[in-house]
Amino acid sequence: MLEHIAGQRSSLTGLLLPLGDRTLVLPNVAVAELIGHRAIACEPGDPAWHLGWVDWRQQRLPLIGFEAACGGQTTCGERARVVVLNALGDTGLRFLALLLQGIPRSCKLDSQLNYVDVPLAALELAAVQVGEQVARVPDLAGLERLVRDADLQSAAG
């Protein structure tokens, strides 16, 4: 995804999104808004990656723990933030809320991304070197399908 978008220009601005056990990287256009300090109640539900709901702009969004969606465990630390992502696929979803463990950092991404050969989780498309850090490219369409297939929209009412 990043290569396709970055290939259209020589560079673009991305965001490094810190999670508990990894860092994700996305182009800025994938992010609708960062929700800052607010009491975030992480209530692992069924499925384990569904941590509750976030009220945002008169909408109720499922709060997703990416690590749990990949088969790991999502922690809800003191520095937890929520990032609202623009939905990309054909699932009918418009936005998703993802739990972060810190403040995202801006980065420059160019069309010559350096891929890193590391094991990837099911919802990761690639790992790339961004400065001194290895960041994972999430499969946002896959994440949207996961939410749609869990049929959480009916509970959002």
Side-chain angles (χ1 to χ4, degrees):
M1 175 179 76
L2 289 173
E3 189 172 56
H4 172 71
I5 294 170
Q8 297 172 2
R9 305 181 228 170
S10 61
S11 70
L12 63 94
T13 302
L15 283 174
L16 293 170
L17 306 174
L19 302 181
D21 63 355
R22 69 194 88 188
T23 299
L24 302 180
V25 62
L26 287 172
N28 271 0
V29 297
V31 176
E33 187 173 331
L34 173 68
I35 300 173
H37 292 286
R38 143 184 331 193
I40 299 170
C42 296
E43 299 292 333
D46 189 25
W49 51 262
H50 182 235
L51 303 176
W53 298 94
V54 174
D55 292 321
W56 179 75
R57 296 186 184 181
Q58 289 85 44
Q59 297 178 65
R60 198 157 190 229
L61 307 177
L63 180 58
I64 300 165
F66 188 82
E67 302 94 329
C70 291
Q73 183 140 3
T74 299
T75 58
C76 188
E78 292 177 11
R79 298 180 48 151
R81 304 278 193 288
V82 173
V83 65
V84 176
L85 303 175
N86 294 306
L88 305 173
D90 57 0
T91 60
L93 298 172
R94 293 184 54 219
F95 302 99
L96 299 172
L98 193 68
L99 184 71
L100 303 180
Q101 297 300 321
I103 300 171
R105 291 181 305 134
S106 183
C107 63
K108 285 288 184 202
L109 303 170
D110 63 29
S111 59
Q112 303 301 315
L113 293 172
N114 293 318
Y115 289 89
V116 179
D117 186 20
V118 297
L120 298 175
L123 290 170
E124 296 172 345
L125 299 174
V128 295
Q129 190 75 37
V130 181
E132 300 293 316
Q133 189 165 23
V134 173
R136 313 300 178 107
V137 179
D139 179 1
L140 294 182
L143 196 59
E144 290 172 40
R145 286 190 300 274
L146 186 73
V147 172
R148 178 203 60 203
D149 295 348
D151 197 26
L152 298 172
Q153 294 91 338
S154 60

